[in-house]
């Protein structure tokens, strides 16, 4: 991969400030992170199935992810870290918004879980030499200043057999209507200004960025919200708003 020239330049201070302001509400299912709480079961279904398939684990086992080192970048309050730890993984959660870390640590302690939470960036962690079996990167890339540099940092954090899981929001009129007009202005699930439509990334653009970062994208699915059942499901075809990708380190 050559010299990545790691810096913290991908951190956008204005984006960090948004999430600092909401940090205390991470574990309130009816608070400002309500959309993530609603989406989380669907996200976890995808993440756990992809990890289990890649590393030949049986999710029916009591601790199927024992022996796996998992990194969650942009961990927030730990909504994904805690389930991964319960499945037996060794979990590190990092976030550039320092206010999230005490919240995550306190909730993990209350839950009896041993999770290593750190206020740091992907770039700085990569510089330290840390390497992981799985790098989780959910709803983060649309908030960074330089998506390609950020993905290169994620790639540097992966072991040769590593798996990368990345979700974001598509960029089209439907996503503007759903993620900004709907979620921020009509439903008021998120504070106004949480997302910038110009930072959204299409699935083809993300695949291209992943390849430029020396990753091999192998799967993508849509997260689809049903306003009638008020729930989320995975879709092979509908990636029009929220979607997730799986990539491997090229062999």
């Amino acid at each position: 991969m050559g010299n990545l020239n790691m810096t913290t330049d991908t951190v956008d201070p204005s984006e960090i400030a948004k999430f600092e302001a909401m940090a205390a509400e991470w574990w309130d299912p009816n608070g400002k992170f309500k959309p993530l709480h609603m989406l989380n079961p669907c996200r976890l279904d995808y993440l756990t199935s992809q990890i289990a398939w890649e590393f030949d684990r049986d999710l029916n086992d009591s601790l199927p992810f024992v022996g796996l080192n998992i990194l969650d970048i942009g961990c927030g309050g730990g909504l994904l870290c805690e389930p991964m730890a319960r499945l037996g993984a060794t979990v590190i959660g990092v976030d550039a918004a320092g206010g999230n870390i005490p919240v995550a640590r306190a909730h993990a302690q209350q839950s009896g879980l041993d999770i290593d939470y750190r206020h740091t960036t992907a770039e700085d962690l990569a510089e330290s030499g840390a390497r992981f079996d799985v790098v989780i990167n959910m709803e983060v890339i649309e908030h960074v200043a330089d998506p390609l540099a950020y993905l290169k940092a994620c790639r540097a954090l992966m072991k040769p057999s590593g798996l990368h899981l990345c979700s974001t929001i598509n960029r089209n009129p439907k996503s503007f209507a759903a993620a900004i007009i709907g979620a921020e202005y009509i439903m008021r699930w998120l504070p106004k200004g949480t997302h910038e439509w110009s930072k959204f990334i299409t699935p083809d653009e993300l695949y291209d960025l992943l390849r430029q970062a020396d990753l091999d994208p192998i799967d993508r699915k849509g997260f689809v919200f049903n306003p009638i059942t008020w729930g989320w499901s995975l879709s092979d075809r509908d990636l029009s708003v929220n979607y997730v990708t799986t990539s491997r380190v090229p062999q």
Side-chain angles (χ1 to χ4, degrees):
M1 291 177 61
N3 184 1
L4 291 173
N5 296 316
M6 290 297 175
T7 69
T8 57
D9 288 345
T10 66
V11 173
D12 186 331
S14 65
E15 294 288 348
I16 299 303
K18 295 175 188 176
F19 292 96
E20 290 270 16
M22 298 186 285
E25 297 195 47
W26 271 106
W27 289 96
D28 180 359
N30 296 307
K32 292 176 180 175
F33 292 102
K34 181 177 180 178
L36 278 183
H37 283 273
M38 295 171 62
L39 177 58
N40 220 37
C42 189
R43 294 198 303 175
L44 284 167
D45 281 347
Y46 183 83
L47 296 178
T48 55
S49 64
Q50 292 296 106
I51 295 169
W53 181 78
E54 184 69 19
F55 294 97
D56 194 23
R57 303 301 177 95
D58 186 348
L59 290 174
N60 292 315
D61 291 344
S62 58
L63 297 170
F65 292 169
V66 164
L68 294 179
N69 295 306
I70 296 180
L71 172 66
D72 182 12
I73 303 173
C75 62
L79 299 187
L80 293 174
C81 290
E82 292 200 6
M84 294 298 166
R86 288 192 178 94
L87 292 171
T90 299
V91 181
I92 293 180
V94 303
D95 206 302
N100 290 332
I101 300 303
V103 176
R105 286 174 178 163
H107 198 275
Q109 185 175 15
Q110 293 167 4
S111 303
L113 296 170
D114 182 14
I115 300 172
D116 183 356
Y117 286 113
R118 305 180 189 181
H119 175 209
T120 188
T121 64
E123 291 85 357
D124 286 347
L125 192 60
E127 286 281 13
S128 76
R131 300 294 181 266
F132 299 88
D133 298 298
V134 181
V135 173
I136 297 174
N137 170 15
M138 308 294 281
E139 290 87 46
V140 175
I141 195 170
E142 70 270 23
H143 298 288
V144 304
D146 186 336
L148 179 56
Y150 173 68
L151 288 175
K152 287 182 176 180
C154 293
R155 167 66 178 86
L157 285 160
M158 297 169 65
K159 294 180 181 179
S161 59
L163 195 69
H164 178 257
L165 299 150
C166 178
S167 70
T168 190
I169 306 175
N170 203 339
R171 188 182 68 258
N172 54 40
K174 183 177 179 180
S175 70
F176 182 85
I180 295 180
I181 301 300
E184 296 183 16
Y185 286 82
I186 297 176
M187 301 306 297
R188 297 185 180 179
W189 282 339
L190 294 168
K192 295 175 183 177
T194 297
H195 290 111
E196 294 180 37
W197 185 78
S198 63
K199 288 188 172 183
F200 292 173
I201 301 171
T202 71
D204 288 345
E205 288 171 347
L206 182 54
Y207 260 31
D208 183 56
L209 287 168
L210 288 164
R211 292 187 180 104
Q212 289 182 59
D214 192 33
L215 287 164
D216 181 18
I218 58 172
D219 186 66
R220 58 188 183 187
K221 297 281 192 300
F223 294 134
V224 180
F225 181 69
N226 186 324
I228 297 175
T229 63
W230 212 244
W232 293 83
S233 62
L234 287 169
S235 173
D236 291 319
R237 296 182 179 180
D238 187 353
L239 283 72
S240 57
V241 183
N242 299 81
Y243 68 96
V244 61
T245 65
T246 298
S247 303
R248 293 184 182 130
V249 174
Q251 300 300 311

